[in-house]
């Protein structure tokens, strides 16, 4: 079938979709609302094996391997410094080891690859309307310009404009109960090396994790809070450095030294998206976080978006748009819903107990979960093969 795709969003999902569509022989135009694609330093991700398999399907694995680092394990410790166990993500060979990189770096390299393979990339274009008519869909942007295609793909993230325009009654993202702070510190920071693992410490008041896989220290802090960050709250590095040092100062971990040395600190409120009744109309479809944002603890957001891109492109190769979009959703919905539910925390604080008892009980539960294999990566999720048929 002859199609032309309009892709709204030039991040990981949108750029991967453009690469997949070009492999399928489908022309594609990518429109990104921000002038820099939302590029920033600090936030890193670990791409699991199923995400790497999706990259192989669109011949993009090697370019991502070149800008990332293997991180095979997660080391878990208590805030006292006691080691609680190791969760291994090692597969059957080096290529199966998850790769870690800054999220912005992954988005940039995929966007560049999409352009190299013939997709048109336009930055600083914000969607304001999407109108379907017989055989085509028209996207209108905030500068008054338009683009016309046979299918419009909304890959514009958790706060998707495409979703709001197409499904006005769809649920909005809701606060998930945590402030998530990302950052990085220079390699010269006085902290124990962790080149092949994310080392996570379950502290008295919050969780802290870091890796030195890329040389610099990529780290995060996960802080339970009943309310999201307000727009009025300061986001400057100095203010957040003071907050975080105070939060972790009683833990016997590298957190305080790393935070004091950090050159980038990025606070955010975690949000998730309830299951949508549908992801598509006859000519418009949502992929990635626009359709199914999963909790950060799953480490699956980027991987599921990459899988979406491959499956959607393959469905569009030989079917009319409406049929392809229906088949795409049928193939993906159950998997992503299950993925979102696969890593709910079992280690939150319990009210009504003295804190030291709560912490000791939590540490014991974590150690038992690691020893029993309950925290191992689910085989059905991480071993999933996305192939190009």
């Amino acid at each position: 079938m002859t199609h032309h795709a309009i892709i709204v969003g030039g991040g990981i999902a949108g750029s991967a979709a453009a690469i997949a569509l070009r492999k399928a022989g489908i022309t594609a135009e990518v429109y990104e609302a921000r002038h820099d694609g939302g590029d920033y330093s600090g936030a890193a991700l670990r791409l699991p094996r199923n995400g790497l398999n999706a990259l192989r399907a669109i011949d993009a694995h090697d370019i991502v391997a070149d800008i990332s680092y293997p991180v095979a394990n997660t080391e878990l410790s208590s805030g006292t410094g006691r080691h609680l166990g190791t969760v291994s993500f090692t597969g059957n060979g080096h290529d199966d080891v998850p790769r870690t990189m800054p999220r912005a770096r992954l988005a940039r390299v995929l966007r560049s690859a999409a352009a190299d393979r013939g997709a048109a990339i336009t930055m600083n274009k914000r969607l304001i309307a999407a109108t379907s008519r017989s055989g085509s869909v028209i996207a209108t942007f905030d500068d008054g310009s338009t683009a016309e295609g046979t299918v419009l793909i909304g890959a514009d993230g958790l706060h998707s404009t495409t979703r709001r325009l197409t499904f006005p009654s769809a649920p909005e993202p809701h606060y998930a109960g945590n402030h998530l702070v990302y950052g990085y510190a220079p390699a010269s920071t006085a902290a124990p090396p962790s080149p092949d693992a994310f080392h996570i410490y379950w502290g008295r008041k919050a969780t802290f994790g870091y890796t030195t896989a890329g040389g610099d220290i990529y780290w995060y802090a996960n802080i339970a809070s009943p309310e999201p960050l307000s727009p009025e709250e300061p986001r400057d590095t100095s203010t957040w450095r003071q907050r975080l040092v105070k939060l972790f100062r009683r833990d016997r971990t590298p957190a305080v030294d790393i935070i004091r040395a950090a050159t980038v600190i990025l606070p955010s409120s975690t949000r998730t998206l309830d299951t949508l009744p549908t992801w598509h109309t006859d000519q418009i479809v949502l992929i990635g976080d626009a359709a199914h944002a999963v909790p950060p603890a799953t480490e699956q957001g980027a991987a599921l978006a990459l899988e979406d891109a491959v499956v959607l492109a393959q469905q569009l190769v030989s079917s009319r748009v409406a049929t392809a979009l229906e088949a795409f959703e049928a193939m993906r919905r159950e998997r992503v819903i299950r993925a979102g539910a696969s890593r709910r925390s079992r280690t939150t604080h319990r009210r009504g107990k003295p804190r030291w008892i709560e912490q000791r009980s939590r540490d014991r539960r974590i150690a038992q979960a690691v020893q029993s294999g309950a925290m191992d990566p689910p085989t059905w999720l991480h071993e999933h093969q996305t192939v190009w048929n």
Side-chain angles (χ1 to χ4, degrees):
M1 303 291 290
T2 300
H3 298 306
H4 176 67
I6 304 300
I7 302 171
V8 178
I12 294 169
S15 298
I19 294 171
L21 289 165
R22 292 303 300 134
K23 180 167 182 173
I26 298 171
T27 58
E29 300 176 36
V30 178
Y31 294 91
E32 167 58 45
R34 292 166 289 194
H35 67 89
D36 60 356
D39 293 350
Y40 53 85
S41 300
L45 62 82
R46 175 162 55 181
L47 194 62
R49 290 192 294 278
N50 55 301
L52 298 176
N53 289 334
L55 287 173
R56 289 189 184 94
I58 56 174
D59 309 315
H61 175 273
D62 289 349
I63 61 173
V64 172
D66 287 344
I67 53 95
S68 62
Y69 309 93
V71 177
N73 303 311
T74 297
E75 301 287 350
L76 298 172
S77 297
S78 73
T80 64
R82 182 168 71 91
H83 189 247
L84 302 176
T86 300
V87 179
S88 176
F89 289 75
T90 304
N92 297 320
H94 178 75
D95 287 344
D96 290 322
V97 176
R99 311 285 301 189
T100 292
M101 70 217 80
R103 180 178 297 274
R105 187 181 298 169
L106 176 59
R108 282 197 300 269
V109 75
L110 291 177
R111 196 159 56 240
S112 178
D116 290 344
R117 299 179 193 192
I121 311 289
T122 304
M123 310 298 284
N124 204 27
K125 287 271 195 178
R126 186 175 300 277
L127 183 74
I128 61 170
T131 307
S132 296
R133 65 185 187 190
S134 180
S136 68
V137 59
I138 298 173
T140 303
F141 301 98
D142 56 353
D143 61 358
S145 64
T146 61
E148 184 171 359
T150 56
V151 59
L152 188 149
I153 300 169
D156 44 349
L158 180 63
H159 301 286
S160 170
T161 298
T162 309
R163 183 179 64 241
R164 293 192 181 106
L165 292 172
T166 308
F167 306 108
S169 61
E172 287 291 311
H174 60 86
Y175 178 56
N178 297 82
H179 299 165
L180 200 56
V181 186
Y182 296 100
Y184 74 82
S188 58
T189 303
S194 185
D196 62 352
F198 265 104
H199 204 137
I200 298 175
Y201 295 89
W202 295 82
R204 295 170 182 264
K205 298 181 178 180
T207 304
F208 183 85
Y210 77 98
T211 182
T212 61
D216 288 343
I217 298 175
Y218 289 93
W219 60 268
Y220 75 90
N222 193 330
I223 308 159
S225 176
E227 298 293 335
L229 297 172
S230 71
E232 293 76 26
E233 285 190 74
R235 306 294 176 98
D236 61 284
T237 296
S238 177
T239 297
W240 272 92
R241 193 191 316 278
Q242 293 176 25
R243 288 186 184 182
L244 293 171
V245 166
K246 184 177 180 180
L247 198 64
F248 289 107
R249 65 185 177 183
R250 296 183 63 192
D251 293 338
R252 295 199 291 270
T253 75
V256 168
D257 288 339
I258 292 173
I259 291 163
R260 282 178 172 156
T263 53
V264 169
I265 299 177
L266 299 168
S268 64
S269 299
T270 59
R271 297 185 184 275
T272 57
L273 186 66
D274 290 338
T275 302
L276 303 181
T278 183
W279 302 342
H280 74 281
T281 65
D282 284 350
Q283 293 175 291
I284 300 173
V285 65
L286 306 174
I287 67 171
D289 283 354
H292 49 70
V294 296
T298 65
E299 294 189 292
Q300 282 289 329
L304 293 173
L306 294 170
E307 290 180 13
D308 281 356
V310 179
V311 174
L312 177 60
Q314 291 191 91
Q315 293 306 307
L316 285 167
V317 169
S318 57
S319 301
R320 65 186 184 91
V321 171
T323 302
L325 302 190
E326 184 174 357
F328 161 75
E329 182 170 338
M331 294 175 67
R332 298 294 296 154
R333 177 174 281 272
E334 181 180 353
R335 175 170 169 77
V336 299
I337 290 174
R338 189 181 179 192
S342 68
R343 190 64 74 167
R344 302 298 184 190
S345 175
R346 298 179 294 275
T347 55
T348 53
H349 288 286
R350 297 186 179 187
R351 296 179 181 177
K353 294 183 179 181
R355 182 163 291 174
W356 68 269
I357 295 178
E358 174 187 319
Q359 292 168 352
R360 183 175 295 178
S361 176
R362 181 199 60 193
D363 292 348
R364 184 169 57 250
R365 292 197 307 273
I366 294 172
Q368 290 172 345
V370 173
Q371 187 173 12
S372 70
M375 297 187 75
D376 290 349
T379 299
W380 64 268
L381 182 56
H382 287 248
E383 302 297 340
H384 181 76
Q385 296 288 329
T386 305
V387 296
W388 193 270
N389 297 319

